[in-house]
Amino acid sequence: MPTSRKSFNRRFNDSVECMATDIQDTAHAVEAAAVMELLRVRPRLLALGEPTHGEELLLEVRNDLFRQLVEREGYRTITIESDCLAGLVVDDYVTSGRGTLDEVMERGISHGWGAFAANRELVRWMRAYNDGRPASEHLRFAGFDGPLEITGAASPRQALTALHGYLAAHVDADLLPCSAETLDRLLGADDRWTEPAAMRDPARSVGRSAEAGELRLLADDLRALLDEQTPHLMTATSPEDRYRAHLYGRTALGLLRYHFWMADTSPGRLARLVGVRDRMMADNLLAVADRGPALVHAHNGHLQRNKSTMRMGGLPLEWWSAGALVSAQLGDGYAFLATALGTIPHQGVDTPPPDTVEGLLYALPQDRCLVDAPRLATALGDTRPAPRVSPYYGYAPLDPAHLAGTDGIVFVTDVPQS
């Protein structure tokens, strides 16, 4: 069992207790007003990360904070680390009531996260918030991940055929680079694209076949045609239809690029795959930001400004996260709050050592708090907290070297089993 808070506090020596007093001055309640006080301007994208997936309490903390930011600060989109195409089902539900909540949670949120009670409550609340409001004031939902799982990627069929169908309905047929029948022939059976063995065996991937190469060129031509016809499409179609057409184009090309690198045999294969995924995330986030101020939720590793690292297949990987890419484009228009935590007893994550960032924050009296990360770095001065080592592969501790690139830390002391 985790060490009690009183027992933990007794382990601090006098110098650490003095530092803890300084750190206490940087801690605030996890509220919208406190978040905005940390930032120089209201960001177009305000991102909240989490250090592990699948913990209901962390999702509940997200829900509470995001509700306040919507109601008090005017944020108008909530986007999470979920399939961007499936997310259209959720957006239709929260804006128009199309479908049922059960159907939407099953079909609209990927990675199995539709089964979490807090995600269900978020979607239910968004629908209730929109009920009776004019469309101009609606709260929107978006997934910003690609149609990807750790074991593979979706077929580009849905995105390609939707983009082709949009253009075929609104531009001269002679301008289209191919017919729908050609796309269907080149795509073939979807299980060619979703072959699970391809993640570990590049030879099982269809990503560098002649058909995949031709599809990539056609997808590029379709996207170019979409851009070339902008003046006409702005008068002939709705902003929502154009937004979705661009989403289909980004996703089609992103998937074809991802499949291309799945078929690669070079040492850089896995690094390219995780990099392509976060590039897709970044492109989707920038498109969401163009619609208005948005709230973002995903793993810390996808949202941080620093390079992301992990081990996959026994290999160390480095790549620039979606947050790093977006921050490079938006500057102060992007803000990042990292979530850190003390214990996850049911996953074997016990009381953090007192010489880690989590250990210092665990000594604070609050069960959860918002910490000013730059002020925390100043309070630490030349003291270098040790990196925490996790016994649980699914939890990524806060990297002390990332404090300067983080706008705030949401700290949760103990995460009980759901």
Side-chain angles (χ1 to χ4, degrees), residues 16-205:
V16 174
E17 287 177 353
C18 291
M19 185 184 297
T21 300
D22 292 338
I23 293 172
Q24 174 65 64
D25 292 340
T26 74
H28 313 276
V30 184
E31 296 175 348
V35 169
M36 302 314 290
E37 287 179 3
L38 296 182
L39 309 172
R40 292 195 302 170
V41 297
R42 186 182 75 164
R44 292 162 61 188
L45 290 176
L46 176 51
L48 173 66
E50 61 178 4
T52 185
H53 288 315
E55 298 297 340
E56 290 279 9
L57 178 60
L58 300 185
L59 299 178
E60 290 167 5
V61 170
R62 173 205 65 189
N63 288 358
D64 290 344
L65 181 58
F66 279 11
R67 284 180 190 133
Q68 292 182 38
L69 289 163
V70 167
E71 293 170 348
R72 302 176 191 177
E73 299 297 334
Y75 281 90
R76 284 293 171 264
T77 299
I78 293 176
T79 181
I80 69 172
E81 183 187 339
S82 183
D83 182 337
C84 57
L85 299 184
L88 299 175
V89 173
V90 184
D91 189 54
D92 284 341
Y93 175 77
V94 300
T95 56
S96 69
R98 186 179 306 169
T100 67
L101 183 56
D102 286 343
E103 294 168 347
V104 165
M105 299 311 297
E106 181 177 354
R107 296 174 47 228
I109 296 181
S110 61
H111 303 85
W113 295 332
F116 286 89
N119 284 333
R120 183 183 182 91
E121 174 57 22
L122 175 68
V123 174
R124 186 208 63 77
W125 173 77
M126 292 178 71
R127 175 64 198 136
Y129 179 90
N130 286 336
D131 193 25
R133 281 185 163 85
S136 61
E137 297 178 11
H138 276 176
L139 178 60
R140 308 297 297 264
F141 178 91
F144 72 93
D145 199 356
L148 307 169
E149 296 285 353
I150 193 67
T151 54
S155 163
R157 177 183 302 278
Q158 179 185 358
L160 268 176
T161 56
L163 175 59
H164 186 279
Y166 170 82
L167 289 169
H170 299 291
V171 305
D172 192 319
D174 292 340
L175 298 176
L176 295 170
C178 66
S179 66
E181 291 73 22
T182 297
L183 285 182
D184 188 62
R185 174 179 59 79
L186 292 171
L187 285 162
D190 284 346
D191 57 11
R192 298 169 64 226
W193 300 92
T194 58
E195 168 59 61
M199 180 53 76
R200 294 186 175 274
D201 182 2
R204 300 293 294 274
S205 172

Side-chain angles (χ1 to χ4, degrees), residues 261-276:
W261 285 103
M262 282 186 72
D264 183 52
T265 57
S266 77
R269 174 178 183 263
L270 292 177
R272 284 309 311 264
L273 286 174
V274 292
V276 168

Side-chain angles (χ1 to χ4, degrees), residues 200-258:
R200 294 186 175 274
D201 182 2
R204 300 293 294 274
S205 172
V206 70
R208 296 200 177 185
S209 64
E211 294 87 351
E214 189 170 350
L215 284 168
R216 198 168 171 184
L217 291 173
L218 290 172
D220 185 64
D221 281 341
L222 287 168
R223 278 197 73 183
L225 181 59
L226 179 64
D227 290 336
E228 293 160 13
Q229 292 293 310
T230 295
H232 164 63
L233 295 172
M234 287 182 67
T235 60
T237 67
S238 69
E240 178 62 22
D241 286 343
R242 293 194 303 277
Y243 176 87
R244 294 191 177 200
H246 283 281
L247 171 62
Y248 295 136
R250 291 193 305 274
T251 305
L253 268 176
L255 282 172
L256 287 164
R257 187 178 295 115
Y258 194 89

